Every structure is written in structure tokens, then in C-alpha cells.
Amino acid sequence: MATVLNDVDEQLAGALRAQGLRVTSQRLVIHRLLREHGGHVTAEEVMGAVEPGLPGTSLPTVYATLELFEELGIVRRVHPGRGPVLFDSRLDEHPHVRCRHCGRVSDLEGSGALQSALRAAQDVAEGQGFTAERAEVVVSGVCADCRIAGAG
Amino acid sequence: MATVLNDVDEQLAGALRAQGLRVTSQRLVIHRLLREHGGHVTAEEVMGAVEPGLPGTSLPTVYATLELFEELGIVRRVHPGRGPVLFDSRLDEHPHVRCRHCGRVSDLEGSGALQSALRAAQDVAEGQGFTAERAEVVVSGVCADCRIAGAG
DNA sequence: ATGACTGCAAACTCTTTGCACAACA
DNA sequence: TGTTGTGCAAAGAGTTTGCAGTCAT
């Protein structure tokens, strides 16, 4: 790593060093991409996006890095039900919407009532001895574009 | 099919004939199992449970049958995030709880507030042109048994 | 120098597909 | 008798694992 580190990089480097982990170019590049992109990405997409800046990066490394980032609290895993897992750089718990026709996943905004209901549901689970850590909500159906295009 | 049909079988047979579909032993046996079992099952588990009554049944047939039953509204698919898809013979929309240690999935009872919040969330999605069909909720964490056993 | 990290290849799990045969209608 | 449904085998998507070599510390 001869690259000069910007402040986004320094954040990651700090978090890694705090755990005795190594600062590698793969980790830095993937971290930058996630910060820039913002939305949901698959491991495959990360792989493709890394390619120009760091050719030869392998899919197993991408998976390992994303898993590490999840442990560091830098990304959250989203399970859309069908298709590959998505990695979300938005860190707050929020519901998703998935089109069963085109597969696109997006955030569902403006459902504050749901957030509190979810917390209540987690309390119910806790009351039964379960240690609740996350609550995923996926609304599925057909998106506006696909409906217009005539999807059943 | 020389078997005598009981009334559960007749329900299925009627639904199948109404669609011009055939009443096969595989479909009858799998249907009975689902009615008896009640909970969540994987395709593999169905396969194993069918074995004694109908040896030689294949996994592709089990998948095809479960997909058909889903279309007929006899089962609902549940995506627990990690691991195989589950087929649930409980037909009402309800949240699930999944232990990330043992993988067990169970229903989350007594969260009525969540149901209405989910309906509200679906309305929000509808308001954005999305045609909402389902809303899945999966609370994940560590179950009581695994916690006792010392799972991190 | 030493051990964490990477890339490659291969294995793995879960699910679907293609095709020939069987069996319901 | 005409298809629909089944079983077999194989392919497919997505992810993980093992191992030899590389590189950060």
C-alpha cells in the first residue's frame, strides 16, 4: 500500500488496527466503494466495481471483506428472499421492498409506525427467552415499472 | 391411485380438478403431510417424510408440488434468510423468529401491533406505485436453548 | 520474520431444467 | 390416447473452504 489515505480510509484503518487486523488495498478499495455507492450491492457487483481500481480481486476475498465489514458494523446484510444477499451501507434498521418481477430491492421510506412495532415484536421475542438482534422486513410484490410493462 | 380418499384428500382433489390438474399420489401424500405436520418444513424434510409412504419420490417433484400448492394457496413460502426455504402450512401473514446458532425457525406470537404496522407499510409502498403482495418479517438472534448452551 | 490475507480452484448447498418414461383423465 | 406429471441426471446460482503463495506489520 503506497496509496495516500484520505479520511474515509483513515476511519477504516483505525477500526482495523484497533482489532489488530491488517490494512490491505482490497479492504480500502471496497470500503471506498461502499461509501460512495450508498445503496444495496451484491458481492458480484462489488467485485465488478473493484476491478478497475484493483484488477484480479477475487470473489472469496470480496465475501471475506464484506463479512469482516459486517462484524465491524460498516455494512448490514440484507436477505431479499430470492437472489443473492445484498450488502447495505445504510446502517439503521429499515424495511425493504422487492419486485418479484425485476428483482430490484429498494428502501421503504416513511413507515415510522413499523419501526416501533418491530421493536415491540423484538420485545415479545425477548420475553420468550429469545435474544433478538435484528428484525428484517421485506415487502414483496411488483414495482411500478414492471406493472406498467405488464407483469402479472 | 387405488387409495380411498379421505376428506382432506377430497379438498385437494377438488382444487386440482377445478384447475384441470391431475390428482396424483405424490400430491395427495405431500398434502396430507403438510396438514398433519403444521409447522415449517424444508423440501428435503418433505422428501424424507414422504419416503415411507411413497418410496422413490424425487426432490424435483417435491419442489414442483410445493410450488403448485403455493399457487393454490395451500402453503406459503418463508425465507428465513440463511438456509433453505421453508414451507408453512399456516396461511395467515405472521412474523418469524430465527436462531442464528441452531437455525431453528418458529412463529412469533402475540405481536398484533406489528400486523397493522405491516399493513400500513404496504400502503406506503402502494402509495409509491408498488403493488404489495406480501410482507415478511424475520427477527433473528439467539434462542433460549442456544443461549443456555453458551452460544455467542 | 511471521502470521494474516489473498487468489485460485474446487466443493458445497439449495434449487431448477431437460428429457424419457409412467400414469391420470 | 393424449398429455400432464414424474424420476433421473445434470446444470445452475450463490457462497464457502483448503491450500500455497504474498504482503502488511
Side-chain angles (χ1 to χ4, degrees):
Chain A
M1 280 306 306
T3 323
V4 177
L5 303 187
N6 61 35
D7 48 345
V8 171
D9 293 339
E10 280 301 353
Q11 285 180 34
L12 175 65
L16 289 172
R17 278 193 281 260
Q19 309 267 335
L21 299 169
R22 294 184 178 171
V23 181
T24 68
S25 36
Q26 290 82 353
R27 288 170 180 175
L28 287 168
V29 170
I30 293 173
H31 183 240
R32 279 192 202 177
L33 285 172
L34 291 172
R35 287 293 191 103
E36 286 162 12
H37 185 284
H40 322 98
V41 279
T42 64
E44 203 92 37
E45 283 165 355
V46 169
M47 166 94 160
V50 164
E51 188 59 25
L54 205 63
T57 304
S58 71
L59 209 38
T61 296
V62 171
Y63 275 106
T65 304
L66 290 170
E67 187 178 353
L68 171 63
F69 285 3
E70 191 187 16
E71 280 156 21
L72 293 178
I74 292 172
V75 287
R76 288 167 65 90
R77 226 178 264 258
V78 175
H79 301 94
R82 202 55 87 120
V85 166
L86 300 176
F87 295 87
D88 195 342
S89 39
R90 187 174 147 187
L91 297 177
D92 64 303
E93 195 109 53
H94 61 282
H96 289 98
V97 162
R98 178 184 170 277
C99 176
R100 73 164 155 72
H101 192 252
C102 66
R104 208 162 51 189
V105 173
S106 43
D107 295 344
L108 181 58
E109 313 288 356
S111 48
L114 185 53
Q115 311 295 339
S116 43
L118 275 179
R119 244 166 279 130
Q122 284 179 270
D123 290 346
V124 171
E126 298 270 359
Q128 295 168 10
F130 189 92
T131 307
E133 293 166 351
R134 285 201 57 184
E136 278 199 83
V137 177
V138 180
V139 173
S140 52
V142 181
C143 72
D145 294 354
C146 289
R147 174 132 306 262
I148 291 164
Chain B
M1 280 306 306
T3 323
V4 177
L5 302 187
N6 62 34
D7 49 344
V8 171
D9 293 338
E10 280 301 352
Q11 284 180 35
L12 176 64
L16 289 172
R17 279 194 280 261
Q19 309 266 335
L21 299 169
R22 294 182 178 171
V23 181
T24 68
S25 36
Q26 289 82 353
R27 287 171 181 175
L28 287 168
V29 171
I30 294 172
H31 184 239
R32 278 190 203 176
L33 285 172
L34 291 172
R35 287 293 191 103
E36 285 161 13
H37 185 285
H40 321 100
V41 278
T42 65
E44 203 93 36
E45 284 165 355
V46 170
M47 167 95 161
V50 164
E51 189 60 24
L54 205 63
T57 305
S58 71
L59 208 39
T61 296
V62 171
Y63 274 106
T65 303
L66 290 170
E67 187 178 354
L68 172 63
F69 285 2
E70 190 188 16
E71 281 157 20
L72 294 176
I74 292 172
V75 288
R76 290 166 65 90
R77 225 177 264 257
V78 175
H79 301 95
R82 203 55 86 118
V85 166
L86 300 175
F87 295 88
D88 195 343
S89 39
R90 188 174 148 186
L91 297 177
D92 64 301
E93 195 109 54
H94 62 282
H96 290 97
V97 162
R98 176 183 172 280
C99 175
R100 72 164 156 73
H101 192 252
C102 66
R104 208 163 53 189
V105 173
S106 44
D107 295 344
L108 180 58
E109 313 288 356
S111 49
L114 185 53
Q115 310 296 339
S116 43
L118 275 179
R119 244 167 279 130
Q122 284 179 268
D123 290 346
V124 171
E126 297 271 0
Q128 295 167 10
F130 190 92
T131 307
E133 293 166 351
R134 286 200 57 184
E136 278 199 84
V137 177
V138 180
V139 173
S140 52
V142 181
C143 72
D145 293 356
C146 290
R147 176 133 306 264
I148 291 164

